[in-house]
Coordinates of all heavy atoms in Angstrom, one line a residue:
M619 N 76.3 -91.7 142.6 CA 75.8 -90.6 143.5 C 75.5 -89.4 142.7 O 76.4 -88.9 142.0 CB 76.9 -90.3 144.6 CG 76.4 -89.5 145.7 SD 77.7 -89.0 146.9 CE 78.4 -90.5 147.4
N620 N 74.2 -88.9 142.7 CA 74.0 -87.7 142.0 C 74.3 -86.5 142.8 O 74.6 -86.6 144.0 CB 72.5 -87.7 141.4 CG 71.5 -87.7 142.5 OD1 71.7 -87.1 143.6 ND2 70.3 -88.3 142.3
L621 N 74.1 -85.3 142.2 CA 74.5 -84.1 142.9 C 73.7 -83.9 144.2 O 74.3 -83.5 145.2 CB 74.3 -82.9 142.0 CG 74.7 -81.5 142.5 CD1 76.2 -81.5 143.0 CD2 74.6 -80.5 141.4
D622 N 72.4 -84.2 144.2 CA 71.6 -84.0 145.4 C 72.0 -84.9 146.5 O 72.1 -84.5 147.7 CB 70.1 -84.3 145.1 CG 69.5 -83.1 144.3 OD1 70.0 -82.0 144.4 OD2 68.5 -83.4 143.6
E623 N 72.4 -86.2 146.2 CA 72.9 -87.1 147.2 C 74.2 -86.7 147.7 O 74.4 -86.8 148.9 CB 73.0 -88.5 146.5 CG 71.7 -89.2 146.3 CD 71.8 -90.3 145.3 OE1 72.8 -90.5 144.7 OE2 70.8 -91.1 145.2
L624 N 75.0 -86.1 146.9 CA 76.3 -85.6 147.3 C 76.1 -84.5 148.3 O 76.7 -84.5 149.4 CB 77.1 -85.1 146.1 CG 78.4 -84.4 146.4 CD1 79.4 -85.2 147.2 CD2 79.1 -83.9 145.1
L625 N 75.2 -83.5 148.0 CA 75.0 -82.4 148.9 C 74.4 -82.9 150.2 O 74.8 -82.3 151.3 CB 74.0 -81.4 148.2 CG 74.6 -80.7 146.9 CD1 73.5 -80.0 146.2 CD2 75.7 -79.8 147.3
L626 N 73.6 -83.9 150.2 CA 73.0 -84.4 151.4 C 74.1 -85.1 152.3 O 74.2 -84.9 153.5 CB 72.0 -85.5 151.0 CG 71.1 -86.0 152.2 CD1 70.2 -84.9 152.8 CD2 70.3 -87.2 151.8
Q627 N 75.0 -85.8 151.6 CA 76.1 -86.4 152.3 C 77.0 -85.4 153.0 O 77.4 -85.5 154.1 CB 77.0 -87.2 151.3 CG 76.4 -88.5 150.9 CD 76.4 -89.6 152.0 OE1 77.4 -89.6 152.8 NE2 75.4 -90.4 152.2
L628 N 77.3 -84.3 152.3 CA 78.1 -83.3 152.8 C 77.5 -82.7 154.0 O 78.1 -82.4 155.0 CB 78.4 -82.2 151.8 CG 79.2 -82.6 150.5 CD1 79.4 -81.4 149.6 CD2 80.5 -83.1 150.9
R629 N 76.2 -82.5 154.0 CA 75.4 -81.9 155.1 C 75.4 -82.8 156.3 O 75.7 -82.4 157.4 CB 74.0 -81.6 154.7 CG 73.8 -80.2 154.1 CD 72.4 -79.7 154.3 NE 71.3 -80.5 153.6 CZ 71.1 -80.3 152.3 NH1 71.7 -79.4 151.6 NH2 70.1 -81.0 151.7
Q630 N 75.1 -84.1 156.0 CA 75.1 -85.0 157.1 C 76.4 -85.2 157.8 O 76.5 -85.4 159.0 CB 74.6 -86.4 156.6 CG 73.1 -86.4 156.4 CD 72.6 -87.7 155.7 OE1 73.4 -88.5 155.2 NE2 71.3 -87.9 155.7
R631 N 77.5 -85.2 157.0 CA 78.8 -85.3 157.6 C 79.4 -84.0 158.1 O 80.5 -83.9 158.5 CB 79.7 -85.9 156.6 CG 79.4 -87.4 156.3 CD 80.1 -87.8 155.0 NE 79.5 -89.1 154.5 CZ 80.1 -90.3 154.6 NH1 81.3 -90.3 155.1 NH2 79.5 -91.3 154.2
R632 N 78.6 -82.9 157.9 CA 79.1 -81.6 158.3 C 80.4 -81.2 157.6 O 81.4 -80.8 158.3 CB 79.2 -81.5 159.8 CG 77.8 -81.6 160.5 CD 77.9 -81.2 161.9 NE 76.5 -80.9 162.4 CZ 75.9 -79.8 162.3 NH1 76.5 -78.7 161.8 NH2 74.7 -79.6 162.7
L633 N 80.5 -81.6 156.3 CA 81.7 -81.2 155.6 C 81.4 -79.9 154.9 O 80.3 -79.6 154.4 CB 82.0 -82.3 154.5 CG 82.4 -83.6 155.1 CD1 82.4 -84.7 154.1 CD2 83.8 -83.5 155.8
I634 N 82.4 -79.1 154.8 CA 82.3 -77.7 154.2 C 83.0 -77.7 152.8 O 84.2 -78.1 152.7 CB 82.8 -76.6 155.1 CG1 82.0 -76.6 156.4 CG2 82.8 -75.3 154.4 CD1 82.6 -75.7 157.4
L635 N 82.3 -77.2 151.9 CA 82.8 -77.1 150.5 C 83.6 -75.7 150.5 O 83.0 -74.7 150.6 CB 81.7 -77.0 149.6 CG 81.9 -77.5 148.1 CD1 82.4 -78.9 148.1 CD2 80.6 -77.4 147.4
I636 N 84.9 -75.8 150.3 CA 85.7 -74.6 150.3 C 85.8 -74.1 148.8 O 85.7 -72.9 148.6 CB 87.2 -74.9 150.7 CG1 87.2 -75.4 152.2 CG2 88.1 -73.7 150.6 CD1 88.5 -75.9 152.7
S637 N 85.9 -75.0 147.9 CA 85.8 -74.6 146.5 C 85.2 -75.9 145.8 O 84.8 -76.8 146.5 CB 87.2 -74.3 145.9 OG 87.9 -75.6 145.7
E638 N 85.0 -75.8 144.5 CA 84.3 -76.9 143.9 C 85.3 -78.2 143.9 O 84.9 -79.2 143.4 CB 83.9 -76.6 142.5 CG 85.0 -76.4 141.4 CD 85.6 -75.0 141.5 OE1 85.4 -74.3 142.4 OE2 86.5 -74.7 140.6
Q639 N 86.5 -78.0 144.4 CA 87.4 -79.1 144.4 C 87.9 -79.5 145.8 O 88.6 -80.5 145.9 CB 88.6 -78.8 143.5 CG 88.2 -78.5 142.1 CD 89.5 -78.2 141.3 OE1 90.3 -79.0 141.1 NE2 89.5 -76.9 140.8
E640 N 87.6 -78.7 146.7 CA 88.2 -78.8 148.1 C 87.1 -78.9 149.1 O 86.2 -78.1 149.2 CB 89.1 -77.6 148.3 CG 90.5 -78.0 148.7 CD 91.3 -76.8 149.0 OE1 91.3 -75.8 148.2 OE2 91.9 -76.8 150.1
I641 N 87.3 -79.8 150.0 CA 86.4 -80.0 151.1 C 87.1 -80.0 152.5 O 88.2 -80.4 152.6 CB 85.6 -81.3 151.0 CG1 84.5 -81.2 149.9 CG2 85.0 -81.8 152.3 CD1 83.7 -82.4 149.7
W642 N 86.4 -79.4 153.5 CA 87.1 -79.4 154.8 C 86.1 -79.9 155.8 O 84.9 -79.6 155.8 CB 87.4 -77.9 155.1 CG 88.1 -77.7 156.4 CD1 89.5 -77.8 156.5 CD2 87.6 -77.5 157.7 NE1 89.8 -77.6 157.8 CE2 88.7 -77.4 158.6 CE3 86.3 -77.3 158.2 CZ2 88.5 -77.2 159.9 CZ3 86.1 -77.1 159.5 CH2 87.2 -77.1 160.4
P643 N 86.5 -80.7 156.8 CA 87.9 -81.2 156.9 C 88.1 -82.4 156.1 O 87.4 -83.4 156.1 CB 87.9 -81.6 158.4 CG 86.5 -81.9 158.8 CD 85.6 -81.1 157.9
S644 N 89.1 -82.4 155.3 CA 89.3 -83.4 154.3 C 89.5 -84.8 154.8 O 89.1 -85.7 154.1 CB 90.5 -83.0 153.4 OG 91.6 -82.7 154.1
P645 N 90.1 -85.1 156.0 CA 90.3 -86.5 156.3 C 88.9 -87.2 156.5 O 88.9 -88.4 156.5 CB 91.0 -86.4 157.7 CG 91.6 -85.0 157.7 CD 90.7 -84.2 156.9
C646 N 87.9 -86.4 156.8 CA 86.6 -87.1 157.0 C 85.9 -87.5 155.8 O 84.8 -88.1 155.8 CB 85.6 -86.1 157.8 SG 86.2 -85.7 159.4
Y647 N 86.4 -87.2 154.6 CA 85.6 -87.6 153.5 C 86.2 -88.8 152.7 O 87.4 -88.9 152.6 CB 85.2 -86.4 152.7 CG 85.9 -85.9 151.5 CD1 85.5 -86.1 150.2 CD2 87.1 -85.1 151.7 CE1 86.1 -85.5 149.2 CE2 87.7 -84.5 150.7 CZ 87.2 -84.8 149.4 OH 87.9 -84.2 148.3
T648 N 85.3 -89.6 152.3 CA 85.6 -90.9 151.8 C 86.0 -90.8 150.3 O 85.8 -89.7 149.6 CB 84.4 -91.8 151.8 OG1 83.4 -91.3 151.0 CG2 83.9 -92.0 153.3
R649 N 86.6 -91.9 149.8 CA 87.0 -91.9 148.4 C 85.7 -91.7 147.5 O 85.8 -91.1 146.5 CB 87.6 -93.3 148.2 CG 88.4 -93.3 146.8 CD 89.0 -94.7 146.7 NE 90.0 -94.9 147.7 CZ 91.0 -95.8 147.5 NH1 91.1 -96.5 146.4 NH2 91.9 -96.0 148.4
E650 N 84.6 -92.3 148.0 CA 83.4 -92.2 147.2 C 83.0 -90.8 147.1 O 82.6 -90.3 146.0 CB 82.3 -93.1 147.8 CG 81.2 -93.4 146.9 CD 79.9 -93.8 147.6 OE1 80.0 -94.0 148.8 OE2 78.9 -94.0 146.9
L651 N 83.0 -90.0 148.2 CA 82.7 -88.6 148.1 C 83.6 -87.8 147.2 O 83.2 -87.0 146.5 CB 82.7 -88.0 149.6 CG 81.5 -88.3 150.4 CD1 81.7 -87.7 151.8 CD2 80.2 -87.7 149.8
A652 N 84.9 -88.1 147.4 CA 85.9 -87.4 146.5 C 85.6 -87.6 145.1 O 85.7 -86.7 144.3 CB 87.3 -87.9 146.9
R653 N 85.2 -88.8 144.7 CA 84.9 -89.1 143.3 C 83.6 -88.4 142.9 O 83.6 -87.8 141.8 CB 84.6 -90.6 143.2 CG 85.3 -91.2 141.9 CD 85.1 -92.7 141.7 NE 84.3 -93.4 142.6 CZ 84.7 -94.4 143.4 NH1 85.9 -94.7 143.4 NH2 83.9 -95.0 144.2
A654 N 82.6 -88.3 143.8 CA 81.4 -87.6 143.5 C 81.7 -86.1 143.3 O 81.1 -85.5 142.4 CB 80.4 -87.8 144.5
V655 N 82.5 -85.6 144.2 CA 82.9 -84.1 144.1 C 83.5 -83.9 142.7 O 83.2 -82.9 142.1 CB 83.8 -83.7 145.2 CG1 84.4 -82.3 145.0 CG2 83.0 -83.6 146.5
R656 N 84.5 -84.7 142.3 CA 85.1 -84.6 141.0 C 84.1 -84.6 139.9 O 84.1 -83.8 139.0 CB 86.2 -85.7 140.8 CG 87.6 -85.2 141.2 CD 88.6 -86.0 140.5 NE 88.4 -87.5 140.6 CZ 88.8 -88.2 141.7 NH1 89.4 -87.6 142.7 NH2 88.6 -89.5 141.8
R657 N 83.2 -85.6 140.0 CA 82.2 -85.8 138.9 C 81.3 -84.6 138.8 O 80.8 -84.2 137.8 CB 81.4 -87.1 139.2 CG 80.5 -87.4 138.1 CD 80.2 -88.9 138.0 NE 80.6 -89.7 139.2 CZ 79.7 -90.2 140.0 NH1 78.4 -90.1 139.8 NH2 80.1 -90.9 141.0
H658 N 80.9 -84.0 140.0 CA 79.9 -82.9 140.0 C 80.6 -81.5 140.1 O 79.9 -80.6 140.5 CB 78.9 -83.1 141.1 CG 78.1 -84.4 140.9 ND1 77.2 -84.5 139.9 CD2 78.1 -85.5 141.7 CE1 76.7 -85.7 140.0 NE2 77.2 -86.3 141.1
R659 N 81.8 -81.4 139.7 CA 82.6 -80.2 139.9 C 81.9 -79.0 139.3 O 81.8 -77.9 139.9 CB 84.0 -80.4 139.3 CG 85.0 -79.4 140.0 CD 86.4 -79.8 139.6 NE 86.4 -80.0 138.1 CZ 87.4 -80.7 137.5 NH1 88.3 -81.3 138.2 NH2 87.4 -80.7 136.2
Q660 N 81.4 -79.2 138.1 CA 80.7 -78.0 137.4 C 79.4 -77.6 138.1 O 79.2 -76.4 138.3 CB 80.5 -78.4 136.0 CG 81.7 -78.3 135.2 CD 81.5 -78.5 133.7 OE1 80.6 -79.3 133.3 NE2 82.3 -77.9 132.9
G661 N 78.7 -78.6 138.6 CA 77.4 -78.3 139.3 C 77.7 -77.6 140.6 O 77.1 -76.6 140.9
L662 N 78.7 -78.0 141.3 CA 79.1 -77.4 142.6 C 79.6 -76.0 142.3 O 79.3 -75.1 143.1 CB 80.2 -78.2 143.2 CG 79.8 -79.6 143.7 CD1 81.1 -80.4 144.2 CD2 78.8 -79.6 144.8
Q663 N 80.4 -75.8 141.3 CA 80.9 -74.5 140.9 C 79.8 -73.5 140.7 O 79.8 -72.4 141.2 CB 81.7 -74.6 139.7 CG 82.7 -73.5 139.5 CD 83.7 -73.7 138.3 OE1 83.3 -74.5 137.4 NE2 84.8 -73.1 138.3
V664 N 78.7 -73.9 140.0 CA 77.6 -73.0 139.8 C 76.9 -72.7 141.1 O 76.6 -71.6 141.4 CB 76.6 -73.7 138.8 CG1 75.3 -72.9 138.7 CG2 77.2 -73.8 137.4
L665 N 76.7 -73.7 141.9 CA 76.0 -73.5 143.2 C 76.8 -72.6 144.1 O 76.2 -71.7 144.8 CB 75.8 -74.8 144.0 CG 74.8 -75.8 143.4 CD1 74.8 -77.1 144.1 CD2 73.4 -75.2 143.5
M666 N 78.1 -72.7 144.0 CA 79.0 -71.8 144.9 C 79.0 -70.4 144.3 O 79.0 -69.4 145.1 CB 80.4 -72.4 144.9 CG 80.4 -73.6 145.7 SD 82.1 -74.1 146.2 CE 82.4 -73.0 147.5
K667 N 78.9 -70.3 143.0 CA 78.9 -68.9 142.4 C 77.7 -68.2 142.8 O 77.7 -67.0 143.0 CB 79.1 -69.1 140.9 CG 79.7 -67.8 140.2 CD 80.1 -68.1 138.8 CE 78.9 -67.9 137.9 NZ 79.3 -68.2 136.5
W668 N 76.5 -68.9 142.9 CA 75.3 -68.3 143.3 C 75.2 -68.2 144.8 O 74.2 -67.7 145.3 CB 74.1 -69.2 142.8 CG 73.9 -69.2 141.3 CD1 74.4 -68.3 140.4 CD2 73.1 -70.2 140.5 NE1 74.0 -68.7 139.1 CE2 73.2 -69.8 139.2 CE3 72.4 -71.3 140.9 CZ2 72.6 -70.5 138.2 CZ3 71.8 -72.0 139.9 CH2 71.9 -71.6 138.5
A669 N 76.1 -68.8 145.5 CA 76.1 -68.8 146.9 C 74.8 -69.5 147.4 O 74.1 -69.0 148.3 CB 76.2 -67.5 147.6
S670 N 74.4 -70.6 146.7 CA 73.2 -71.3 147.0 C 73.3 -71.8 148.4 O 74.4 -72.2 148.9 CB 73.0 -72.5 146.0 OG 72.1 -73.4 146.5
I671 N 72.1 -71.9 149.1 CA 72.1 -72.4 150.5 C 72.5 -73.9 150.5 O 72.8 -74.4 151.5 CB 70.8 -72.2 151.2 CG1 69.7 -72.9 150.5 CG2 70.5 -70.7 151.3 CD1 68.4 -72.9 151.3
E672 N 72.4 -74.5 149.3 CA 72.8 -75.9 149.2 C 74.2 -76.2 149.6 O 74.6 -77.2 150.0 CB 72.5 -76.5 147.8 CG 71.1 -76.4 147.3 CD 70.2 -77.4 148.0 OE1 70.7 -78.4 148.6 OE2 69.0 -77.2 148.0
V673 N 75.0 -75.1 149.4 CA 76.5 -75.3 149.7 C 76.9 -74.3 150.8 O 78.0 -74.0 150.9 CB 77.3 -75.1 148.4 CG1 77.1 -76.2 147.5 CG2 77.1 -73.8 147.7
C674 N 75.9 -73.8 151.5 CA 76.2 -72.9 152.6 C 77.2 -73.5 153.6 O 77.1 -74.6 154.0 CB 74.9 -72.5 153.4 SG 75.2 -71.4 154.8
A675 N 78.2 -72.7 154.0 CA 79.3 -73.2 154.8 C 78.9 -73.5 156.2 O 79.5 -74.2 157.0 CB 80.5 -72.3 154.7
S676 N 77.8 -72.8 156.7 CA 77.4 -72.9 158.1 C 75.9 -72.7 158.2 O 75.4 -71.6 158.5 CB 78.2 -71.9 158.9 OG 77.8 -72.0 160.3
R677 N 75.2 -73.8 157.9 CA 73.7 -73.7 157.8 C 73.1 -73.2 159.1 O 72.1 -72.5 159.1 CB 73.1 -75.0 157.4 CG 73.6 -75.5 156.1 CD 73.1 -76.9 155.7 NE 71.6 -76.8 155.5 CZ 71.1 -76.6 154.3 NH1 71.9 -76.3 153.3 NH2 69.8 -76.6 154.1
D678 N 73.7 -73.5 160.3 CA 73.1 -73.1 161.5 C 73.3 -71.6 161.8 O 72.4 -70.9 162.2 CB 73.6 -73.9 162.7 CG 73.3 -75.4 162.5 OD1 72.2 -75.7 161.9 OD2 74.0 -76.3 163.0
N679 N 74.5 -71.2 161.5 CA 74.9 -69.8 161.8 C 74.4 -68.8 160.7 O 74.2 -67.6 161.0 CB 76.4 -69.6 162.1 CG 76.8 -70.4 163.3 OD1 76.1 -70.5 164.3 ND2 77.9 -71.1 163.2
H680 N 74.3 -69.3 159.5 CA 74.0 -68.3 158.4 C 72.5 -68.2 158.1 O 72.2 -67.4 157.3 CB 74.7 -68.8 157.1 CG 76.2 -68.6 157.2 ND1 77.0 -68.9 156.1 CD2 77.0 -68.2 158.2 CE1 78.3 -68.7 156.4 NE2 78.3 -68.2 157.7
R681 N 71.7 -69.1 158.7 CA 70.3 -69.1 158.3 C 69.6 -67.7 158.2 O 68.8 -67.5 157.4 CB 69.5 -70.0 159.3 CG 68.3 -70.6 158.6 CD 67.7 -71.7 159.5 NE 68.6 -72.9 159.6 CZ 68.4 -73.9 158.8 NH1 67.4 -74.0 157.9 NH2 69.2 -75.0 158.8
Q682 N 70.0 -66.9 159.1 CA 69.4 -65.5 159.1 C 69.8 -64.7 157.9 O 69.2 -63.7 157.7 CB 69.8 -64.8 160.4 CG 71.3 -64.7 160.6 CD 71.7 -64.1 161.9 OE1 71.2 -63.0 162.3 NE2 72.6 -64.8 162.7
Y683 N 70.8 -65.1 157.2 CA 71.3 -64.4 156.0 C 70.8 -64.9 154.7 O 71.1 -64.5 153.7 CB 72.8 -64.3 156.0 CG 73.4 -63.7 157.2 CD1 74.0 -64.5 158.2 CD2 73.4 -62.3 157.4 CE1 74.5 -63.9 159.3 CE2 73.9 -61.8 158.6 CZ 74.5 -62.6 159.5 OH 75.0 -62.0 160.7
W684 N 70.0 -66.0 154.8 CA 69.4 -66.6 153.6 C 68.3 -65.7 153.0 O 67.5 -65.2 153.7 CB 68.8 -68.0 153.9 CG 69.9 -69.0 154.3 CD1 71.2 -68.8 154.3 CD2 69.7 -70.4 154.5 NE1 71.9 -69.9 154.7 CE2 70.9 -70.9 154.8 CE3 68.5 -71.2 154.6 CZ2 71.1 -72.3 155.1 CZ3 68.7 -72.5 154.9 CH2 70.0 -73.1 155.2
R685 N 68.4 -65.5 151.7 CA 67.4 -64.7 151.0 C 66.8 -65.4 149.9 O 67.5 -66.1 149.1 CB 68.1 -63.4 150.5 CG 68.7 -62.5 151.5 CD 67.7 -61.7 152.2 NE 68.3 -60.9 153.3 CZ 68.5 -61.3 154.5 NH1 68.2 -62.5 154.9 NH2 69.1 -60.5 155.4
Y686 N 65.5 -65.3 149.7 CA 64.9 -65.9 148.6 C 65.1 -65.1 147.3 O 64.9 -63.9 147.3 CB 63.3 -66.0 148.9 CG 62.6 -66.7 147.8 CD1 62.8 -68.0 147.5 CD2 61.6 -66.0 147.1 CE1 62.1 -68.7 146.6 CE2 60.9 -66.7 146.1 CZ 61.1 -68.0 145.9 OH 60.4 -68.7 144.9
T687 N 65.6 -65.8 146.3 CA 65.9 -65.0 145.1 C 65.0 -65.4 143.9 O 65.2 -65.0 142.8 CB 67.4 -65.3 144.6 OG1 67.6 -66.7 144.6 CG2 68.3 -64.7 145.6
G688 N 63.9 -66.1 144.2 CA 62.9 -66.4 143.2 C 63.2 -67.8 142.6 O 64.4 -68.3 142.7
G689 N 62.2 -68.4 141.9 CA 62.4 -69.7 141.3 C 62.9 -70.7 142.2 O 63.7 -71.6 141.9
Q690 N 62.3 -70.7 143.5 CA 62.7 -71.7 144.5 C 64.1 -71.7 144.8 O 64.7 -72.8 145.2 CB 62.2 -73.1 144.1 CG 60.7 -73.1 143.9 CD 60.2 -74.6 143.8 OE1 60.8 -75.5 143.4 NE2 58.9 -74.8 144.3
C691 N 64.8 -70.6 144.6 CA 66.3 -70.5 144.9 C 66.5 -69.6 146.1 O 65.9 -68.6 146.2 CB 67.1 -70.0 143.7 SG 67.1 -71.1 142.3
Y692 N 67.4 -70.1 147.0 CA 67.8 -69.3 148.1 C 69.3 -69.1 148.1 O 70.0 -69.9 147.7 CB 67.4 -70.0 149.4 CG 65.9 -70.0 149.7 CD1 65.1 -71.0 149.2 CD2 65.4 -69.1 150.6 CE1 63.8 -71.0 149.4 CE2 64.0 -69.1 150.8 CZ 63.2 -70.0 150.3 OH 61.9 -70.0 150.5
T693 N 69.7 -67.8 148.4 CA 71.1 -67.5 148.4 C 71.5 -67.2 149.8 O 70.7 -66.6 150.6 CB 71.3 -66.2 147.5 OG1 71.0 -66.6 146.2 CG2 72.7 -65.7 147.6
C694 N 72.7 -67.5 150.2 CA 73.2 -67.2 151.5 C 74.1 -65.9 151.3 O 75.2 -66.0 150.7 CB 74.1 -68.3 152.1 SG 74.8 -67.8 153.7
T695 N 73.6 -64.8 151.8 CA 74.3 -63.5 151.6 C 75.6 -63.5 152.4 O 76.5 -62.8 152.0 CB 73.4 -62.3 151.9 OG1 73.0 -62.5 153.3 CG2 72.2 -62.2 151.0
M696 N 75.7 -64.2 153.5 CA 76.9 -64.3 154.2 C 78.0 -65.0 153.5 O 79.1 -64.6 153.3 CB 76.7 -64.9 155.6 CG 77.9 -64.9 156.5 SD 78.7 -63.3 156.7 CE 77.6 -62.6 158.0
C697 N 77.6 -66.2 152.9 CA 78.6 -66.9 152.1 C 79.0 -66.1 150.9 O 80.2 -66.1 150.5 CB 78.0 -68.3 151.6 SG 78.0 -69.5 152.9
Q698 N 78.1 -65.4 150.3 CA 78.3 -64.6 149.2 C 79.4 -63.5 149.5 O 80.3 -63.3 148.8 CB 77.0 -63.8 148.8 CG 76.9 -63.5 147.3 CD 75.4 -63.1 147.1 OE1 74.7 -62.6 147.9 NE2 75.0 -63.5 145.9
R699 N 79.3 -62.9 150.7 CA 80.2 -61.9 151.1 C 81.6 -62.5 151.4 O 82.6 -62.0 150.9 CB 79.7 -61.2 152.4 CG 80.1 -59.8 152.4 CD 79.4 -59.0 153.5 NE 79.8 -59.3 154.8 CZ 79.1 -59.1 155.9 NH1 77.9 -58.5 155.8 NH2 79.5 -59.4 157.1
L700 N 81.6 -63.7 152.0 CA 82.8 -64.4 152.3 C 83.5 -64.8 151.0 O 84.8 -64.6 150.9 CB 82.6 -65.6 153.2 CG 82.1 -65.4 154.6 CD1 81.7 -66.7 155.3 CD2 83.1 -64.6 155.4
L701 N 82.8 -65.3 150.1 CA 83.3 -65.7 148.8 C 83.9 -64.5 148.0 O 85.0 -64.6 147.5 CB 82.3 -66.4 147.9 CG 82.0 -67.9 148.2 CD1 80.9 -68.3 147.4 CD2 83.3 -68.7 147.9
S702 N 83.2 -63.4 148.1 CA 83.7 -62.3 147.3 C 85.0 -61.7 148.0 O 85.8 -61.1 147.3 CB 82.7 -61.2 147.2 OG 82.4 -60.6 148.4
E703 N 85.1 -61.9 149.3 CA 86.3 -61.4 150.0 C 87.6 -62.3 149.7 O 88.7 -61.8 149.6 CB 86.1 -61.4 151.5 CG 85.4 -60.1 151.9 CD 84.9 -60.2 153.4 OE1 85.4 -61.0 154.1 OE2 84.1 -59.3 153.7
V704 N 87.4 -63.6 149.5 CA 88.5 -64.5 149.2 C 88.9 -64.6 147.7 O 90.0 -65.0 147.4 CB 88.3 -65.9 149.8 CG1 88.3 -65.8 151.3 CG2 87.1 -66.6 149.3
S705 N 87.9 -64.3 146.9 CA 88.2 -64.5 145.4 C 88.6 -63.2 144.7 O 88.5 -62.1 145.3 CB 87.0 -65.2 144.7 OG 85.9 -64.4 144.9
Ligands
LIG2296 ZN1 76.2 -69.5 154.3

């Protein structure tokens, strides 16, 4: 499973990435997903640091906070704010 496939799986299963190592709700995710998360930890970490919409915690509710940052990248300013508050 590559990183894009993993992100798609997370979206389809409505799983939320809490950190590059933790997913919520955890009982819903399979061993295969857990392995993919471990394997792509660094990639996920980068996406989370940028608050990329790829890892947006709530795509339906946050869509209005998405901002284009150039280079075909979109940032979720709401996730960005939430992340800066918890870290
Ligand atoms: Zn978001």
Side-chain angles (χ1 to χ4, degrees):
M619 195 184 303
N620 65 32
L621 183 54
D622 285 337
E623 287 163 348
L624 169 62
L625 294 169
L626 188 68
Q627 284 287 323
L628 295 181
R629 269 208 294 279
Q630 281 174 347
R631 292 164 194 254
R632 296 193 163 268
L633 293 168
I634 296 172
L635 208 56
I636 298 170
S637 75
E638 73 279 7
Q639 303 179 60
E640 234 184 310
I641 281 179
W642 187 86
S644 51
C646 297
Y647 92 106
T648 62
R649 194 181 294 206
E650 197 198 355
L651 279 177
R653 223 180 3 244
V655 165
R656 262 202 311 277
R657 183 152 20 108
H658 295 296
R659 204 168 51 200
Q660 285 184 326
L662 294 173
Q663 201 172 24
V664 170
L665 288 173
M666 291 194 78
K667 205 165 84 182
W668 291 343
S670 164
I671 61 166
E672 298 291 342
V673 292
C674 177
S676 181
R677 299 176 71 86
D678 297 333
N679 296 322
H680 289 182
R681 204 168 291 265
Q682 54 184 311
Y683 302 103
W684 290 3
R685 298 283 176 272
Y686 183 62
T687 53
Q690 298 196 329
C691 292
Y692 287 84
T693 293
C694 177
T695 55
M696 183 53 80
C697 281
Q698 211 165 33
R699 212 165 75 198
L700 295 173
L701 276 174
S702 69
E703 277 169 16
V704 294
S705 58

